[in-house]
Amino acid sequence: MKELQQDVDGYIRQFKEGYFSPLALLARLTEELGELAREVNHYYGEKKKKPSEPEKTVEEELGDLMFVVICMANRLHIDLDTALERVLAKFNTRDKNRWTRISDERKR
């Protein structure tokens, strides 16, 4: 993640405007999430794409979303490696017995 954050930072620093404000980034994140939801609905849901709609992919929309998440983290000086490690630690402690493990299923 550190390398990705550095890549995005290198891209953004080319421009005088720099990073958008956290509020503008949140609005952009919401917009990108809506576009991802639309694509997921087209491919996996009931609402199929119209022939006149441009081809986009879930992969493309996930990439857009990830770019904005990285911009938000960079703008707020958040190390995403650390943030993800903390989330994984939370799942591995608080939620460790919440789901049925595959290994538990095999024992039955």
Side-chain angles (χ1 to χ4, degrees):
M1 293 300 287
K2 189 172 296 301
E3 187 175 333
L4 292 173
Q5 284 191 256
Q6 290 170 348
D7 289 348
V8 169
D9 193 57
Y11 173 77
I12 295 295
R13 288 189 183 277
Q14 301 178 80
F15 306 106
K16 184 178 178 182
E17 293 81 5
Y19 288 103
F20 294 147
S21 70
L23 190 57
L25 286 168
L26 182 61
R28 177 111 188 268
L29 192 64
T30 303
E31 176 186 329
E32 296 296 349
L33 183 59
E35 290 176 15
L36 173 62
R38 183 176 178 84
E39 289 305 309
V40 168
N41 197 19
H42 285 320
Y43 286 99
Y44 305 104
E46 290 71 34
K47 185 180 179 190
K48 300 302 176 198
K49 198 174 277 251
K50 295 176 191 171
S52 60
E53 289 183 278
E55 278 300 314
K56 288 191 175 184
T57 63
V58 171
E59 178 182 9
E60 180 182 350
E61 297 304 336
L62 278 171
D64 289 347
L65 193 64
M66 191 168 174
F67 180 82
V68 180
V69 166
I70 293 171
C71 284
M72 176 80 88
N74 286 353
R75 176 69 167 80
L76 298 174
H77 308 288
I78 293 170
D79 180 321
L80 286 173
D81 283 321
T82 302
L84 187 57
E85 286 171 14
R86 288 180 180 157
V87 169
L88 289 173
K90 179 174 59 177
F91 284 126
N92 285 316
T93 54
R94 182 193 71 192
D95 294 337
K96 70 179 181 179
N97 296 316
R98 185 173 187 182
W99 312 108
T100 305
R101 295 187 183 273
I102 293 170
S103 59
D104 292 344
E105 285 286 307
R106 291 183 185 146
K107 291 176 186 175
R108 292 181 188 182

